Amino acid sequence: MTLAPARAPSAFRRFHRMRRTAALRGLVRETRLDPRSLVLPIFVDARASEPTPITSLPGHLRWPAERAAEIAERAAAAGVGGLLLFGLPDEKGDGRAAADPLGPVPSALRAIRARAAGLALIADVCLCEYTTHGHCGILTPDGGIDNDATLPLLADAALACADAGADVIAPSDMMDGRVAAIRDALDRAGRAETAVMSYAAKFASAFYGPFREAADCAPQFGDRSGYQMDPPNAREALAEIAADVDEGADVVMVKPAGPYLDVIAAARARFDVPIAAYQVSGEYAALHAAAERGWIDLRRAALESLTAIARAGAGTIVTYFALDAAAWLA
Ligand code: PBG
């Protein structure tokens, strides 16, 4: 009689066992996407009289403010968690129009507030859509960025959005000290309840290309590498995040997302605050372009990329796939 061996003769682990069926895989899945953690960016265009397709962002439109509630209702019905609003003004100027209470973002906020409850409304705050030169701050006489002189304009823009019903202000300009300036202005105006989600670690990225076409905000000279982060710097990203947390940010964001998963993971490990990540226009457009050529499956690639961002540690994901993903996950 032979005794059964105490363990299988070969001592390797059989990982395949729990991958055998969809049900088994579902039991041991470590990361799940939830549509409520997704934020849909939308573009509100003061010059549009009807929703207008954005060629660089397939499936996305520029909305007139008075019709923005339509896309908001669609997002709410799909179960998406929030909207991030960007504005294109009537005409470009010195940037002060970002604080116009009748500008595209405040107008859309009021229209959405009146109709679509249950969505978090997040207002992007930056000057680049409102300046003739396309930079995110106002300029010094010699063409540099005047960081400190930009801060009050950002604070004014934040207040206009808070007054119009934004739950969250999301400054994307990367000026030093803007979270403190905005927090201070909100508090002084009795808007202590309005949250700040800062684009804390925003890199000077090639992946913003399609957005700049969508928002008509490409810099007319130079680039943004004097104020956005240098892509190789992860330690500096953590310092940027620490500074924004100190200045009062409620949520800190890493942007772009896919190429910076290490930064998301490091931020998640180091800070006990909500971490958001922005899957930017170029990440979205690249997947669409490859899928159009039949090189990848759009749905699988999109969900895989979003899952990777969640797995790295982002609890909130801004993505142009928000509506599609919510439908795919339903
Ligand atoms: C502007 C802003 C940009 C994005 C969000 N806010 C462009 C930039 O910094 O040049 C990019 C978003 C995207 O690519 O989807 N401050």
mmCIF file of all heavy atoms in Angstrom, residues 41 43 57 84 86 124-129 134 136 171-174 199 202-205 207-212 215 217-219 224 227-228 255-256 278-283 318 320, ligand 1:
data_model
loop_
_atom_site.group_PDB
_atom_site.id
_atom_site.type_symbol
_atom_site.label_atom_id
_atom_site.label_comp_id
_atom_site.label_asym_id
_atom_site.label_seq_id
_atom_site.Cartn_x
_atom_site.Cartn_y
_atom_site.Cartn_z
ATOM 1 N N PRO A 41 -15.877 65.009 -17.304
ATOM 2 C CA PRO A 41 -15.580 66.400 -17.676
ATOM 3 C C PRO A 41 -16.562 66.867 -18.753
ATOM 4 O O PRO A 41 -16.862 66.108 -19.673
ATOM 5 C CB PRO A 41 -14.160 66.335 -18.277
ATOM 6 C CG PRO A 41 -13.672 64.936 -18.045
ATOM 7 C CD PRO A 41 -14.875 64.072 -17.861
ATOM 8 N N PHE A 43 -17.665 70.423 -21.295
ATOM 9 C CA PHE A 43 -17.228 71.721 -21.818
ATOM 10 C C PHE A 43 -18.457 72.586 -22.077
ATOM 11 O O PHE A 43 -19.365 72.171 -22.800
ATOM 12 C CB PHE A 43 -16.430 71.522 -23.115
ATOM 13 C CG PHE A 43 -15.168 70.742 -22.896
ATOM 14 C CD1 PHE A 43 -15.155 69.354 -23.005
ATOM 15 C CD2 PHE A 43 -13.994 71.385 -22.542
ATOM 16 C CE1 PHE A 43 -13.991 68.624 -22.771
ATOM 17 C CE2 PHE A 43 -12.829 70.675 -22.304
ATOM 18 C CZ PHE A 43 -12.829 69.287 -22.419
ATOM 19 N N LEU A 57 -12.141 64.704 -29.236
ATOM 20 C CA LEU A 57 -12.659 63.892 -28.128
ATOM 21 C C LEU A 57 -13.938 63.193 -28.585
ATOM 22 O O LEU A 57 -15.050 63.669 -28.327
ATOM 23 C CB LEU A 57 -12.959 64.767 -26.900
ATOM 24 C CG LEU A 57 -11.766 65.336 -26.144
ATOM 25 C CD1 LEU A 57 -12.222 66.320 -25.069
ATOM 26 C CD2 LEU A 57 -10.949 64.216 -25.508
ATOM 27 N N LEU A 84 -17.203 67.592 -13.947
ATOM 28 C CA LEU A 84 -16.159 68.614 -13.858
ATOM 29 C C LEU A 84 -16.396 69.583 -15.004
ATOM 30 O O LEU A 84 -16.348 69.186 -16.171
ATOM 31 C CB LEU A 84 -14.776 67.960 -13.972
ATOM 32 C CG LEU A 84 -13.568 68.889 -14.007
ATOM 33 C CD1 LEU A 84 -13.465 69.712 -12.723
ATOM 34 C CD2 LEU A 84 -12.281 68.072 -14.182
ATOM 35 N N PHE A 86 -15.719 72.772 -17.469
ATOM 36 C CA PHE A 86 -14.771 73.699 -18.082
ATOM 37 C C PHE A 86 -15.559 74.706 -18.904
ATOM 38 O O PHE A 86 -16.592 74.361 -19.476
ATOM 39 C CB PHE A 86 -13.810 72.957 -19.015
ATOM 40 C CG PHE A 86 -12.875 72.029 -18.301
ATOM 41 C CD1 PHE A 86 -13.162 70.674 -18.188
ATOM 42 C CD2 PHE A 86 -11.704 72.507 -17.727
ATOM 43 C CE1 PHE A 86 -12.299 69.808 -17.514
ATOM 44 C CE2 PHE A 86 -10.838 71.654 -17.064
ATOM 45 C CZ PHE A 86 -11.139 70.306 -16.959
ATOM 46 N N ASP A 124 -13.856 73.477 -12.564
ATOM 47 C CA ASP A 124 -12.442 73.699 -12.835
ATOM 48 C C ASP A 124 -12.183 75.199 -12.769
ATOM 49 O O ASP A 124 -12.975 75.995 -13.275
ATOM 50 C CB ASP A 124 -12.079 73.183 -14.232
ATOM 51 C CG ASP A 124 -10.597 73.337 -14.529
ATOM 52 O OD1 ASP A 124 -10.199 74.402 -15.054
ATOM 53 O OD2 ASP A 124 -9.846 72.402 -14.231
ATOM 54 N N VAL A 125 -11.095 75.574 -12.104
ATOM 55 C CA VAL A 125 -10.743 76.991 -12.049
ATOM 56 C C VAL A 125 -9.335 77.167 -12.614
ATOM 57 O O VAL A 125 -8.381 76.544 -12.143
ATOM 58 C CB VAL A 125 -10.823 77.530 -10.603
ATOM 59 C CG1 VAL A 125 -10.079 78.850 -10.472
ATOM 60 C CG2 VAL A 125 -12.286 77.715 -10.196
ATOM 61 N N CYS A 126 -9.237 77.959 -13.678
ATOM 62 C CA CYS A 126 -7.965 78.260 -14.323
ATOM 63 C C CYS A 126 -8.206 79.470 -15.209
ATOM 64 O O CYS A 126 -9.347 79.788 -15.532
ATOM 65 C CB CYS A 126 -7.493 77.071 -15.166
ATOM 66 S SG CYS A 126 -5.801 77.283 -15.791
ATOM 67 N N LEU A 127 -7.130 80.123 -15.610
ATOM 68 C CA LEU A 127 -7.318 81.286 -16.486
ATOM 69 C C LEU A 127 -7.107 80.963 -17.958
ATOM 70 O O LEU A 127 -7.468 81.758 -18.820
ATOM 71 C CB LEU A 127 -6.359 82.421 -16.079
ATOM 72 C CG LEU A 127 -6.464 82.947 -14.646
ATOM 73 C CD1 LEU A 127 -5.622 84.221 -14.510
ATOM 74 C CD2 LEU A 127 -7.905 83.202 -14.234
ATOM 75 N N CYS A 128 -6.528 79.794 -18.276
ATOM 76 C CA CYS A 128 -6.043 79.601 -19.656
ATOM 77 C C CYS A 128 -7.141 79.666 -20.711
ATOM 78 O O CYS A 128 -6.887 80.086 -21.832
ATOM 79 C CB CYS A 128 -5.229 78.318 -19.783
ATOM 80 S SG CYS A 128 -6.186 76.814 -19.622
ATOM 81 N N GLU A 129 -8.360 79.266 -20.347
ATOM 82 C CA GLU A 129 -9.443 79.358 -21.328
ATOM 83 C C GLU A 129 -9.874 80.809 -21.541
ATOM 84 O O GLU A 129 -10.616 81.109 -22.476
ATOM 85 C CB GLU A 129 -10.666 78.544 -20.873
ATOM 86 C CG GLU A 129 -10.427 77.045 -20.744
ATOM 87 C CD GLU A 129 -10.083 76.631 -19.321
ATOM 88 O OE1 GLU A 129 -9.644 77.495 -18.529
ATOM 89 O OE2 GLU A 129 -10.239 75.442 -18.993
ATOM 90 N N GLY A 134 -3.349 82.188 -23.684
ATOM 91 C CA GLY A 134 -3.521 80.765 -23.397
ATOM 92 C C GLY A 134 -2.734 80.240 -22.213
ATOM 93 O O GLY A 134 -2.755 79.036 -21.953
ATOM 94 N N CYS A 136 -1.904 79.902 -18.046
ATOM 95 C CA CYS A 136 -2.811 79.659 -16.921
ATOM 96 C C CYS A 136 -2.789 80.780 -15.887
ATOM 97 O O CYS A 136 -3.534 80.733 -14.897
ATOM 98 C CB CYS A 136 -2.485 78.321 -16.266
ATOM 99 S SG CYS A 136 -2.600 76.933 -17.413
ATOM 100 N N PRO A 171 -8.866 73.855 -8.765
ATOM 101 C CA PRO A 171 -7.898 74.708 -9.461
ATOM 102 C C PRO A 171 -6.872 73.879 -10.238
ATOM 103 O O PRO A 171 -6.221 72.992 -9.688
ATOM 104 C CB PRO A 171 -7.224 75.494 -8.334
ATOM 105 C CG PRO A 171 -7.423 74.678 -7.099
ATOM 106 C CD PRO A 171 -8.661 73.853 -7.304
ATOM 107 N N SER A 172 -6.748 74.179 -11.550
ATOM 108 C CA SER A 172 -5.865 73.383 -12.412
ATOM 109 C C SER A 172 -4.700 74.211 -12.959
ATOM 110 O O SER A 172 -3.979 73.768 -13.838
ATOM 111 C CB SER A 172 -6.661 72.796 -13.586
ATOM 112 O OG SER A 172 -7.133 73.818 -14.435
ATOM 113 N N ASP A 173 -4.505 75.402 -12.412
ATOM 114 C CA ASP A 173 -3.547 76.355 -12.959
ATOM 115 C C ASP A 173 -2.099 76.103 -12.555
ATOM 116 O O ASP A 173 -1.177 76.555 -13.217
ATOM 117 C CB ASP A 173 -3.930 77.739 -12.442
ATOM 118 C CG ASP A 173 -4.078 77.658 -10.927
ATOM 119 O OD1 ASP A 173 -5.127 77.161 -10.462
ATOM 120 O OD2 ASP A 173 -3.124 78.009 -10.214
ATOM 121 N N MET A 174 -1.918 75.425 -11.398
ATOM 122 C CA MET A 174 -0.580 75.124 -10.854
ATOM 123 C C MET A 174 0.192 76.354 -10.372
ATOM 124 O O MET A 174 1.425 76.302 -10.246
ATOM 125 C CB MET A 174 0.266 74.302 -11.839
ATOM 126 C CG MET A 174 -0.114 72.838 -11.896
ATOM 127 S SD MET A 174 0.031 71.966 -10.314
ATOM 128 C CE MET A 174 1.765 71.508 -10.304
ATOM 129 N N TYR A 199 -5.619 70.193 -8.318
ATOM 130 C CA TYR A 199 -4.752 69.460 -9.225
ATOM 131 C C TYR A 199 -3.361 69.643 -8.614
ATOM 132 O O TYR A 199 -2.622 70.545 -8.998
ATOM 133 C CB TYR A 199 -4.771 70.077 -10.610
ATOM 134 C CG TYR A 199 -6.036 69.974 -11.430
ATOM 135 C CD1 TYR A 199 -7.217 70.606 -11.042
ATOM 136 C CD2 TYR A 199 -6.030 69.279 -12.643
ATOM 137 C CE1 TYR A 199 -8.354 70.538 -11.841
ATOM 138 C CE2 TYR A 199 -7.164 69.217 -13.444
ATOM 139 C CZ TYR A 199 -8.318 69.850 -13.031
ATOM 140 O OH TYR A 199 -9.435 69.795 -13.835
ATOM 141 N N LYS A 202 0.232 68.104 -11.057
ATOM 142 C CA LYS A 202 -0.141 68.185 -12.473
ATOM 143 C C LYS A 202 1.127 68.367 -13.288
ATOM 144 O O LYS A 202 1.854 69.344 -13.118
ATOM 145 C CB LYS A 202 -1.107 69.351 -12.699
ATOM 146 C CG LYS A 202 -1.471 69.540 -14.162
ATOM 147 C CD LYS A 202 -2.521 70.616 -14.351
ATOM 148 C CE LYS A 202 -2.810 70.835 -15.832
ATOM 149 N NZ LYS A 202 -3.825 71.872 -16.038
ATOM 150 N N PHE A 203 1.368 67.406 -14.171
ATOM 151 C CA PHE A 203 2.612 67.390 -14.928
ATOM 152 C C PHE A 203 2.450 68.104 -16.272
ATOM 153 O O PHE A 203 1.363 68.103 -16.854
ATOM 154 C CB PHE A 203 3.057 65.936 -15.148
ATOM 155 C CG PHE A 203 3.509 65.271 -13.877
ATOM 156 C CD1 PHE A 203 2.602 64.646 -13.024
ATOM 157 C CD2 PHE A 203 4.841 65.304 -13.510
ATOM 158 C CE1 PHE A 203 3.023 64.054 -11.837
ATOM 159 C CE2 PHE A 203 5.277 64.706 -12.330
ATOM 160 C CZ PHE A 203 4.361 64.089 -11.492
ATOM 161 N N ALA A 204 3.524 68.679 -16.758
ATOM 162 C CA ALA A 204 3.548 69.315 -18.081
ATOM 163 C C ALA A 204 3.563 68.190 -19.110
ATOM 164 O O ALA A 204 4.616 67.663 -19.449
ATOM 165 C CB ALA A 204 4.786 70.197 -18.213
ATOM 166 N N SER A 205 2.384 67.810 -19.571
ATOM 167 C CA SER A 205 2.235 66.548 -20.295
ATOM 168 C C SER A 205 1.870 66.746 -21.755
ATOM 169 O O SER A 205 1.095 67.644 -22.108
ATOM 170 C CB SER A 205 1.135 65.715 -19.609
ATOM 171 O OG SER A 205 0.847 64.552 -20.356
ATOM 172 N N PHE A 207 0.026 64.695 -23.116
ATOM 173 C CA PHE A 207 -1.295 64.066 -23.212
ATOM 174 C C PHE A 207 -2.459 65.053 -23.088
ATOM 175 O O PHE A 207 -3.604 64.633 -23.048
ATOM 176 C CB PHE A 207 -1.424 62.948 -22.166
ATOM 177 C CG PHE A 207 -0.598 61.732 -22.488
ATOM 178 C CD1 PHE A 207 0.696 61.597 -21.995
ATOM 179 C CD2 PHE A 207 -1.092 60.723 -23.304
ATOM 180 C CE1 PHE A 207 1.470 60.482 -22.301
ATOM 181 C CE2 PHE A 207 -0.330 59.603 -23.613
ATOM 182 C CZ PHE A 207 0.955 59.488 -23.114
ATOM 183 N N TYR A 208 -2.170 66.359 -22.981
ATOM 184 C CA TYR A 208 -3.256 67.345 -22.905
ATOM 185 C C TYR A 208 -3.673 67.867 -24.282
ATOM 186 O O TYR A 208 -4.548 68.723 -24.379
ATOM 187 C CB TYR A 208 -2.848 68.559 -22.038
ATOM 188 C CG TYR A 208 -2.408 68.240 -20.635
ATOM 189 C CD1 TYR A 208 -1.479 69.053 -19.977
ATOM 190 C CD2 TYR A 208 -2.914 67.141 -19.952
ATOM 191 C CE1 TYR A 208 -1.067 68.777 -18.686
ATOM 192 C CE2 TYR A 208 -2.495 66.848 -18.651
ATOM 193 C CZ TYR A 208 -1.570 67.668 -18.028
ATOM 194 O OH TYR A 208 -1.159 67.392 -16.758
ATOM 195 N N GLY A 209 -3.035 67.368 -25.329
ATOM 196 C CA GLY A 209 -3.282 67.910 -26.671
ATOM 197 C C GLY A 209 -4.746 68.040 -27.063
ATOM 198 O O GLY A 209 -5.200 69.138 -27.429
ATOM 199 N N PRO A 210 -5.517 66.959 -27.001
ATOM 200 C CA PRO A 210 -6.916 67.060 -27.452
ATOM 201 C C PRO A 210 -7.730 68.046 -26.619
ATOM 202 O O PRO A 210 -8.600 68.738 -27.152
ATOM 203 C CB PRO A 210 -7.445 65.628 -27.278
ATOM 204 C CG PRO A 210 -6.230 64.751 -27.302
ATOM 205 C CD PRO A 210 -5.140 65.571 -26.662
ATOM 206 N N PHE A 211 -7.433 68.134 -25.326
ATOM 207 C CA PHE A 211 -8.153 69.082 -24.460
ATOM 208 C C PHE A 211 -7.943 70.512 -24.931
ATOM 209 O O PHE A 211 -8.859 71.325 -24.928
ATOM 210 C CB PHE A 211 -7.672 68.945 -23.015
ATOM 211 C CG PHE A 211 -8.251 69.979 -22.071
ATOM 212 C CD1 PHE A 211 -9.373 69.694 -21.323
ATOM 213 C CD2 PHE A 211 -7.662 71.234 -21.935
ATOM 214 C CE1 PHE A 211 -9.909 70.636 -20.451
ATOM 215 C CE2 PHE A 211 -8.187 72.182 -21.072
ATOM 216 C CZ PHE A 211 -9.308 71.886 -20.330
ATOM 217 N N ARG A 212 -6.716 70.823 -25.306
ATOM 218 C CA ARG A 212 -6.428 72.208 -25.676
ATOM 219 C C ARG A 212 -7.198 72.606 -26.913
ATOM 220 O O ARG A 212 -7.555 73.769 -27.095
ATOM 221 C CB ARG A 212 -4.923 72.407 -25.833
ATOM 222 C CG ARG A 212 -4.249 72.301 -24.472
ATOM 223 C CD ARG A 212 -2.763 72.502 -24.542
ATOM 224 N NE ARG A 212 -2.169 72.245 -23.235
ATOM 225 C CZ ARG A 212 -0.875 72.166 -23.014
ATOM 226 N NH1 ARG A 212 -0.025 72.330 -24.014
ATOM 227 N NH2 ARG A 212 -0.416 71.927 -21.805
ATOM 228 N N ALA A 215 -10.900 72.979 -25.457
ATOM 229 C CA ALA A 215 -11.116 74.164 -24.630
ATOM 230 C C ALA A 215 -10.502 75.404 -25.257
ATOM 231 O O ALA A 215 -10.564 76.477 -24.670
ATOM 232 C CB ALA A 215 -10.543 73.937 -23.237
ATOM 233 N N CYS A 217 -7.417 76.415 -25.594
ATOM 234 C CA CYS A 217 -6.565 77.071 -24.592
ATOM 235 C C CYS A 217 -5.087 76.730 -24.763
ATOM 236 O O CYS A 217 -4.323 76.758 -23.807
ATOM 237 C CB CYS A 217 -7.026 76.704 -23.188
ATOM 238 S SG CYS A 217 -6.726 74.992 -22.741
ATOM 239 N N ALA A 218 -4.674 76.392 -25.996
ATOM 240 C CA ALA A 218 -3.249 76.122 -26.217
ATOM 241 C C ALA A 218 -2.454 77.412 -26.017
ATOM 242 O O ALA A 218 -2.874 78.472 -26.481
ATOM 243 C CB ALA A 218 -3.039 75.581 -27.624
ATOM 244 N N PRO A 219 -1.319 77.350 -25.310
ATOM 245 C CA PRO A 219 -0.521 78.564 -25.140
ATOM 246 C C PRO A 219 -0.075 79.103 -26.501
ATOM 247 O O PRO A 219 0.328 78.331 -27.370
ATOM 248 C CB PRO A 219 0.669 78.106 -24.298
ATOM 249 C CG PRO A 219 0.615 76.621 -24.214
ATOM 250 C CD PRO A 219 -0.736 76.171 -24.663
ATOM 251 N N ARG A 224 3.994 75.167 -20.875
ATOM 252 C CA ARG A 224 3.609 75.307 -19.482
ATOM 253 C C ARG A 224 4.649 74.736 -18.515
ATOM 254 O O ARG A 224 4.383 74.532 -17.341
ATOM 255 C CB ARG A 224 2.275 74.611 -19.226
ATOM 256 C CG ARG A 224 1.127 75.053 -20.131
ATOM 257 C CD ARG A 224 -0.206 74.903 -19.399
ATOM 258 N NE ARG A 224 -1.373 74.796 -20.256
ATOM 259 C CZ ARG A 224 -1.907 75.800 -20.950
ATOM 260 N NH1 ARG A 224 -1.334 76.988 -20.945
ATOM 261 N NH2 ARG A 224 -2.994 75.615 -21.671
ATOM 262 N N TYR A 227 5.523 76.229 -14.995
ATOM 263 C CA TYR A 227 4.644 76.138 -13.819
ATOM 264 C C TYR A 227 4.061 74.749 -13.590
ATOM 265 O O TYR A 227 3.804 74.368 -12.453
ATOM 266 C CB TYR A 227 3.559 77.223 -13.814
ATOM 267 C CG TYR A 227 2.830 77.487 -15.125
ATOM 268 C CD1 TYR A 227 1.547 77.008 -15.337
ATOM 269 C CD2 TYR A 227 3.408 78.261 -16.133
ATOM 270 C CE1 TYR A 227 0.854 77.273 -16.516
ATOM 271 C CE2 TYR A 227 2.730 78.526 -17.319
ATOM 272 C CZ TYR A 227 1.458 78.028 -17.512
ATOM 273 O OH TYR A 227 0.781 78.293 -18.676
ATOM 274 N N GLN A 228 3.840 73.955 -14.639
ATOM 275 C CA GLN A 228 3.432 72.566 -14.408
ATOM 276 C C GLN A 228 4.669 71.727 -14.102
ATOM 277 O O GLN A 228 5.791 72.132 -14.379
ATOM 278 C CB GLN A 228 2.690 72.032 -15.639
ATOM 279 C CG GLN A 228 1.403 72.807 -15.913
ATOM 280 C CD GLN A 228 0.614 72.274 -17.095
ATOM 281 O OE1 GLN A 228 1.094 71.436 -17.861
ATOM 282 N NE2 GLN A 228 -0.596 72.780 -17.258
ATOM 283 N N LYS A 255 -2.308 64.080 -12.121
ATOM 284 C CA LYS A 255 -2.738 64.243 -13.508
ATOM 285 C C LYS A 255 -1.526 64.382 -14.419
ATOM 286 O O LYS A 255 -0.639 65.163 -14.084
ATOM 287 C CB LYS A 255 -3.604 65.503 -13.596
ATOM 288 C CG LYS A 255 -4.018 65.885 -14.997
ATOM 289 C CD LYS A 255 -4.710 67.213 -14.981
ATOM 290 C CE LYS A 255 -5.045 67.594 -16.408
ATOM 291 N NZ LYS A 255 -5.578 68.932 -16.508
ATOM 292 N N PRO A 256 -1.478 63.675 -15.545
ATOM 293 C CA PRO A 256 -2.361 62.600 -16.001
ATOM 294 C C PRO A 256 -2.346 61.393 -15.058
ATOM 295 O O PRO A 256 -1.601 61.387 -14.081
ATOM 296 C CB PRO A 256 -1.767 62.217 -17.363
ATOM 297 C CG PRO A 256 -0.932 63.378 -17.789
ATOM 298 C CD PRO A 256 -0.416 63.971 -16.520
ATOM 299 N N TYR A 278 -6.745 62.030 -12.849
ATOM 300 C CA TYR A 278 -7.396 62.509 -14.063
ATOM 301 C C TYR A 278 -6.829 61.757 -15.262
ATOM 302 O O TYR A 278 -5.669 61.926 -15.619
ATOM 303 C CB TYR A 278 -7.139 64.013 -14.205
ATOM 304 C CG TYR A 278 -8.017 64.771 -15.179
ATOM 305 C CD1 TYR A 278 -8.419 66.070 -14.887
ATOM 306 C CD2 TYR A 278 -8.433 64.225 -16.392
ATOM 307 C CE1 TYR A 278 -9.214 66.803 -15.771
ATOM 308 C CE2 TYR A 278 -9.226 64.941 -17.267
ATOM 309 C CZ TYR A 278 -9.618 66.233 -16.956
ATOM 310 O OH TYR A 278 -10.393 66.955 -17.831
ATOM 311 N N GLN A 279 -7.681 60.879 -15.828
ATOM 312 C CA GLN A 279 -7.308 60.229 -17.089
ATOM 313 C C GLN A 279 -7.580 61.261 -18.184
ATOM 314 O O GLN A 279 -8.733 61.537 -18.517
ATOM 315 C CB GLN A 279 -8.157 58.969 -17.312
ATOM 316 C CG GLN A 279 -7.768 58.226 -18.577
ATOM 317 C CD GLN A 279 -8.662 57.025 -18.827
ATOM 318 O OE1 GLN A 279 -9.885 57.134 -18.820
ATOM 319 N NE2 GLN A 279 -8.069 55.868 -19.047
ATOM 320 N N VAL A 280 -6.523 61.849 -18.711
ATOM 321 C CA VAL A 280 -6.690 63.068 -19.512
ATOM 322 C C VAL A 280 -7.052 62.783 -20.961
ATOM 323 O O VAL A 280 -7.085 61.631 -21.412
ATOM 324 C CB VAL A 280 -5.430 63.971 -19.427
ATOM 325 C CG1 VAL A 280 -5.154 64.363 -17.980
ATOM 326 C CG2 VAL A 280 -4.232 63.296 -20.075
ATOM 327 N N SER A 281 -7.274 63.877 -21.671
ATOM 328 C CA SER A 281 -7.782 63.802 -23.040
ATOM 329 C C SER A 281 -6.923 62.934 -23.950
ATOM 330 O O SER A 281 -7.442 62.170 -24.761
ATOM 331 C CB SER A 281 -7.899 65.212 -23.610
ATOM 332 O OG SER A 281 -6.635 65.865 -23.583
ATOM 333 N N GLY A 282 -5.599 63.020 -23.823
ATOM 334 C CA GLY A 282 -4.727 62.249 -24.706
ATOM 335 C C GLY A 282 -4.774 60.755 -24.403
ATOM 336 O O GLY A 282 -4.605 59.928 -25.314
ATOM 337 N N GLU A 283 -4.998 60.416 -23.152
ATOM 338 C CA GLU A 283 -5.142 58.999 -22.803
ATOM 339 C C GLU A 283 -6.412 58.445 -23.452
ATOM 340 O O GLU A 283 -6.431 57.337 -23.999
ATOM 341 C CB GLU A 283 -5.201 58.833 -21.280
ATOM 342 C CG GLU A 283 -3.969 59.323 -20.529
ATOM 343 C CD GLU A 283 -4.126 59.157 -19.013
ATOM 344 O OE1 GLU A 283 -4.034 58.021 -18.526
ATOM 345 O OE2 GLU A 283 -4.369 60.170 -18.326
ATOM 346 N N VAL A 318 -11.376 61.100 -12.725
ATOM 347 C CA VAL A 318 -11.952 61.965 -13.754
ATOM 348 C C VAL A 318 -11.617 61.317 -15.087
ATOM 349 O O VAL A 318 -10.446 61.045 -15.377
ATOM 350 C CB VAL A 318 -11.349 63.385 -13.694
ATOM 351 C CG1 VAL A 318 -12.018 64.284 -14.732
ATOM 352 C CG2 VAL A 318 -11.494 63.969 -12.296
ATOM 353 N N TYR A 320 -12.990 60.849 -19.443
ATOM 354 C CA TYR A 320 -13.924 61.063 -20.552
ATOM 355 C C TYR A 320 -14.707 59.789 -20.866
ATOM 356 O O TYR A 320 -15.642 59.815 -21.649
ATOM 357 C CB TYR A 320 -13.159 61.566 -21.795
ATOM 358 C CG TYR A 320 -12.473 62.884 -21.511
ATOM 359 C CD1 TYR A 320 -11.146 62.912 -21.056
ATOM 360 C CD2 TYR A 320 -13.160 64.084 -21.621
ATOM 361 C CE1 TYR A 320 -10.521 64.102 -20.738
ATOM 362 C CE2 TYR A 320 -12.545 65.285 -21.307
ATOM 363 C CZ TYR A 320 -11.234 65.290 -20.867
ATOM 364 O OH TYR A 320 -10.630 66.477 -20.541
HETATM 365 C C1 PBG B 1 -6.054 73.869 -18.057
HETATM 366 C C2 PBG B 1 -6.326 72.428 -18.046
HETATM 367 C C3 PBG B 1 -5.776 71.498 -18.909
HETATM 368 C C4 PBG B 1 -6.383 70.300 -18.625
HETATM 369 C C5 PBG B 1 -7.270 70.505 -17.580
HETATM 370 N N1 PBG B 1 -7.207 71.841 -17.219
HETATM 371 C C6 PBG B 1 -4.809 71.685 -20.005
HETATM 372 C C7 PBG B 1 -3.466 72.156 -19.701
HETATM 373 O O1 PBG B 1 -3.029 72.248 -18.559
HETATM 374 O O2 PBG B 1 -2.805 72.484 -20.662
HETATM 375 C C8 PBG B 1 -6.130 69.032 -19.361
HETATM 376 C C9 PBG B 1 -7.203 68.029 -19.320
HETATM 377 C C10 PBG B 1 -7.118 66.997 -20.372
HETATM 378 O O3 PBG B 1 -6.164 66.890 -21.149
HETATM 379 O O4 PBG B 1 -8.075 66.216 -20.418
HETATM 380 N N2 PBG B 1 -5.601 74.437 -16.953
#
